[in-house]
Amino acid sequence: MKFAAALCSAAAIALGCAALGVTAWRGLEQPWVALAFAAVIAVGEAVRVELPGHEPDGRAPTSAPVGAAGALGYALLGVVGGRDTSHGVLQVVAVVIVAVLVGSAPRAARGPSLDLGHALRGVLAVGFAATCFQPLVHSGALAHWAGDGPYYALCLLAVTLLTGLCDAVLGAVFAAGRTGRPVGPLLRGQLRARVGIAPAIGATGAVIALAVAVAGLWALPVFCLPLLLTQFSFRRYASVRATNRQTIASLARSTEVAGYTPHGHARRVAELSCAVGRELGLTDPELTVLEYAALMHDIGQLSLVDPVASGATEPLDPEVQRRIALLGAAVVRQTGVAREVAVVVERQADPFREQPLTARIVRAVNAYEDMVAGKASVEGSLRAVERLRLGSAQDYEPRVVEALSRVVARGAPG
């Protein structure tokens, strides 16, 4: 998959260079139209927001719905105010590249802000949309087949759906190249991640193209402003989620400060648990529950009079383990997080066959982390995984252990 990802990257770079070179040589067709759409894309990129949740490859997802809708609208633009357009595929790609770079400049001044893989993926996706649509418009084939009625709108929606599928495939290929994971689970994760905002972006892009065709460029701010206001509202929501996560992480470190668990134990268990959860195909909400529960799984140890050696709870008496789990769940319920997080913490001492999958993951990963003590070597990791396999008949879910072994074999979580 690294070869496929490298091939896609090379194709995106070649397309981008060709688009910029040809557009600079020929000049902009209908420059006011290009500048109007470039402004929308640049503003959308400037207010890009980091979303709460997880990409299928473990990265924090970001979204610029206004910019994405503007880029898609320009790729699907065949008429402006009743007049045919004259720009082509290469100009669409060039305008989008320049607009994204301009929109990223304010954030780049504060530090690295442009994800190269995401940018290359965007170039290929917008190039795909423009390639599907622009030749049909300029050749007259679309007007002959669909006319100006509802079939024209259906054609636009079909191109947006194909573009979304193309972007999901590209996302899976790039993620597989980075992580070494199979493309299939990553593609399923990419498709699930697009169930929410992606259809809205695609529909908005198609509606922008239809509205500009009738009303001209004045339709751009009319249709982009509501999406922009929604993005600002979502930025506030994402900020609250980030603050909540920081609070949970700080509370989880209380066991480390008090000397009950080793330094960084909760963070390592959370990272490795999320990697195993992605390996098993958990959805984004399930991964969030898993992450929070893994961060706080040891909070009940504060009820102990004396710390456990190395913070390892597996060798303790079952009744002590149950008391730690129950008291930890009681603390978690006071934090205001989802009820499922407390359930995962509370069920840590139950037989694994009675636990939800998220609790089984935390249990196996916690045991692995206790064995390697945060200093995993190749030999130590293999020995720890083998011990988990030996206990899979009674103590650990075999599927979880095998997923953990695959993640460990790749050398790092995610």
Side-chain angles (χ1 to χ4, degrees):
M1 276 299 111
K2 288 186 178 180
F3 175 75
L7 190 62
C8 289
S9 298
I13 293 171
L15 176 60
C17 291
L20 292 171
V22 171
T23 303
W25 177 263
R26 294 179 177 175
L28 283 175
E29 297 285 344
Q30 297 175 311
W32 286 110
V33 177
L35 289 174
F37 276 90
V40 170
I41 298 167
V43 169
E45 190 65 32
V47 296
R48 174 180 291 274
V49 60
E50 182 173 309
L51 306 178
H54 309 262
E55 284 276 14
D57 63 338
R59 295 187 171 198
T62 62
S63 179
V66 176
L72 187 58
Y74 191 47
L76 301 179
L77 190 65
V79 181
V80 178
R83 298 176 57 188
D84 292 339
T85 59
S86 55
H87 65 269
V89 174
L90 294 181
Q91 180 168 312
V92 170
V93 174
V95 168
V96 171
I97 290 174
V98 172
V100 168
L101 292 175
V102 171
S104 301
R107 291 184 292 113
R110 300 191 295 269
S113 64
L114 187 63
D115 183 339
L116 182 59
H118 189 278
L120 294 176
R121 199 171 101 196
V123 169
L124 290 176
V126 76
F128 176 85
T131 301
C132 288
F133 184 78
Q134 291 296 323
L136 293 177
V137 169
H138 297 313
S139 66
L142 185 61
H144 176 71
W145 294 340
D148 297 326
Y151 293 112
Y152 184 86
L154 289 176
C155 180
L156 293 185
L157 290 176
V159 173
T160 62
L161 290 175
L162 289 174
T163 302
L165 180 59
C166 173
D167 187 53
V169 172
L170 291 171
V173 169
F174 279 112
R178 283 194 300 266
T179 65
R181 293 177 59 196
V183 174
L186 288 169
L187 179 57
R188 288 193 294 272
Q190 290 283 347
L191 292 173
R192 282 198 299 264
R194 280 159 176 73
V195 170
I197 196 169
I201 293 173
T204 303
V207 169
I208 285 174
L210 290 171
V212 170
V214 176
L217 294 177
W218 290 107
L220 267 177
V222 172
F223 284 92
C224 288
L225 185 59
L227 196 58
L228 183 62
L229 295 176
T230 301
Q231 184 168 341
F232 279 120
S233 298
F234 197 78
R235 179 185 290 273
R236 296 190 64 181
Y237 166 70
S239 177
V240 171
R241 284 285 300 270
T243 301
N244 191 35
R245 186 190 181 281
Q246 291 171 1
T247 302
I248 291 172
S250 298
L251 182 59
R253 284 194 293 269
S254 62
T255 57
E256 301 171 11
V257 174
Y260 283 82
T261 57
H263 178 70
H265 171 77
R267 175 184 53 79
R268 291 191 296 270
V269 172
E271 291 177 354
L272 191 51
S273 293
C274 287
V276 173
R278 286 189 290 272
E279 189 73 18
L280 292 171
L282 266 61
T283 63
D284 184 76
E286 290 171 331
L287 286 172
T288 299
V289 169
L290 178 61
E291 180 186 17
Y292 289 176
L295 283 170
M296 304 184 71
H297 74 280
D298 272 332
I299 199 72
Q301 288 201 40
L302 295 175
S303 65
L304 300 176
V305 176
D306 297 312
V308 180
S310 301
T313 56
E314 284 298 316
L316 294 178
D317 183 88
E319 287 304 317
V320 177
Q321 292 185 35
R322 186 172 300 280
R323 180 161 66 91
I324 291 173
L326 291 174
L327 291 174
V331 173
V332 172
R333 287 190 174 91
Q334 301 302 314
T335 64
V337 299
R339 182 186 63 84
E340 292 82 0
V341 177
V343 171
V344 174
V345 174
E346 188 175 52
R347 303 286 294 279
Q348 285 301 294
D350 293 352
F352 84 83
R353 291 181 177 83
E354 300 176 10
Q355 293 176 324
L357 179 58
T358 45
R360 300 178 189 186
I361 293 172
V362 175
R363 180 172 184 163
V365 171
N366 181 51
Y368 170 84
E369 174 62 26
D370 286 343
M371 293 176 194
V372 300
K375 300 177 181 178
S377 62
V378 175
E379 183 179 351
S381 296
L382 291 175
R383 190 163 49 244
V385 170
E386 190 58 34
R387 288 177 62 184
L388 292 177
R389 284 196 178 106
L390 292 174
S392 61
Q394 294 181 340
D395 299 322
Y396 308 109
E397 164 69 64
R399 283 190 307 144
V400 173
V401 175
E402 292 309 313
L404 174 61
S405 70
R406 292 194 296 271
V407 171
V408 170
R410 290 197 294 266

Coordinates of all heavy atoms in Angstrom, one line a residue, residues 276 385 389 400-410:
V276 N -6.2 -0.5 18.9 CA -6.8 -1.8 18.8 C -8.3 -1.6 18.4 O -8.8 -2.4 17.6 CB -6.7 -2.5 20.2 CG1 -7.5 -3.8 20.2 CG2 -5.3 -2.8 20.5
V385 N 2.4 -10.5 24.6 CA 1.3 -10.9 23.8 C 1.1 -12.4 23.9 O -0.1 -12.9 24.0 CB 1.6 -10.6 22.3 CG1 0.5 -11.2 21.4 CG2 1.5 -9.1 22.1
R389 N -2.3 -14.5 25.0 CA -2.9 -15.6 24.3 C -3.1 -16.8 25.2 O -4.2 -17.4 25.1 CB -1.9 -16.0 23.1 CG -1.9 -15.0 22.0 CD -1.3 -15.7 20.7 NE -1.4 -14.8 19.6 CZ -0.3 -14.2 19.1 NH1 0.9 -14.3 19.7 NH2 -0.4 -13.4 18.0
V400 N -9.5 -9.6 20.6 CA -8.8 -8.4 21.0 C -7.3 -8.7 21.1 O -6.5 -7.8 20.7 CB -9.4 -8.0 22.4 CG1 -8.5 -6.8 23.0 CG2 -10.8 -7.5 22.3
V401 N -7.0 -9.8 21.6 CA -5.5 -10.2 21.7 C -4.9 -10.2 20.4 O -3.8 -9.7 20.2 CB -5.4 -11.5 22.5 CG1 -3.9 -11.9 22.5 CG2 -5.9 -11.4 23.9
E402 N -5.6 -10.8 19.4 CA -5.0 -10.9 18.0 C -4.9 -9.5 17.4 O -3.9 -9.2 16.7 CB -5.8 -11.8 17.2 CG -5.8 -13.3 17.6 CD -4.4 -13.8 17.7 OE1 -3.5 -13.5 16.8 OE2 -4.0 -14.4 18.7
A403 N -5.9 -8.6 17.6 CA -5.8 -7.3 17.1 C -4.7 -6.5 17.8 O -3.9 -5.8 17.1 CB -7.1 -6.5 17.4
L404 N -4.5 -6.7 19.1 CA -3.4 -6.1 19.8 C -2.0 -6.6 19.3 O -1.1 -5.8 19.1 CB -3.5 -6.4 21.3 CG -2.3 -6.0 22.2 CD1 -2.2 -4.5 22.2 CD2 -2.6 -6.4 23.6
S405 N -1.9 -7.9 19.0 CA -0.7 -8.4 18.4 C -0.4 -7.7 17.1 O 0.8 -7.5 16.8 CB -0.8 -9.9 18.3 OG -1.6 -10.3 17.3
R406 N -1.4 -7.5 16.2 CA -1.1 -6.9 14.9 C -0.7 -5.4 15.1 O 0.2 -5.0 14.4 CB -2.4 -6.9 14.1 CG -2.8 -8.3 13.6 CD -3.8 -8.3 12.5 NE -5.1 -7.7 12.9 CZ -6.1 -8.4 13.5 NH1 -6.0 -9.7 13.7 NH2 -7.2 -7.8 13.8
V407 N -1.3 -4.7 16.0 CA -0.9 -3.3 16.3 C 0.5 -3.3 16.8 O 1.3 -2.5 16.4 CB -1.9 -2.7 17.3 CG1 -1.4 -1.3 17.7 CG2 -3.3 -2.5 16.7
V408 N 0.8 -4.1 17.8 CA 2.2 -4.2 18.3 C 3.2 -4.6 17.3 O 4.3 -4.0 17.2 CB 2.2 -5.2 19.5 CG1 3.7 -5.4 20.0 CG2 1.4 -4.6 20.7
A409 N 2.8 -5.5 16.4 CA 3.8 -5.9 15.3 C 4.1 -4.8 14.4 O 5.2 -4.7 13.8 CB 3.1 -7.1 14.5
R410 N 3.2 -3.8 14.2 CA 3.5 -2.7 13.4 C 4.4 -1.6 14.0 O 4.9 -0.7 13.4 CB 2.2 -2.0 12.9 CG 1.4 -2.8 11.9 CD 0.3 -2.0 11.2 NE -0.7 -1.5 12.1 CZ -1.8 -2.1 12.4 NH1 -2.1 -3.2 11.7 NH2 -2.7 -1.6 13.2

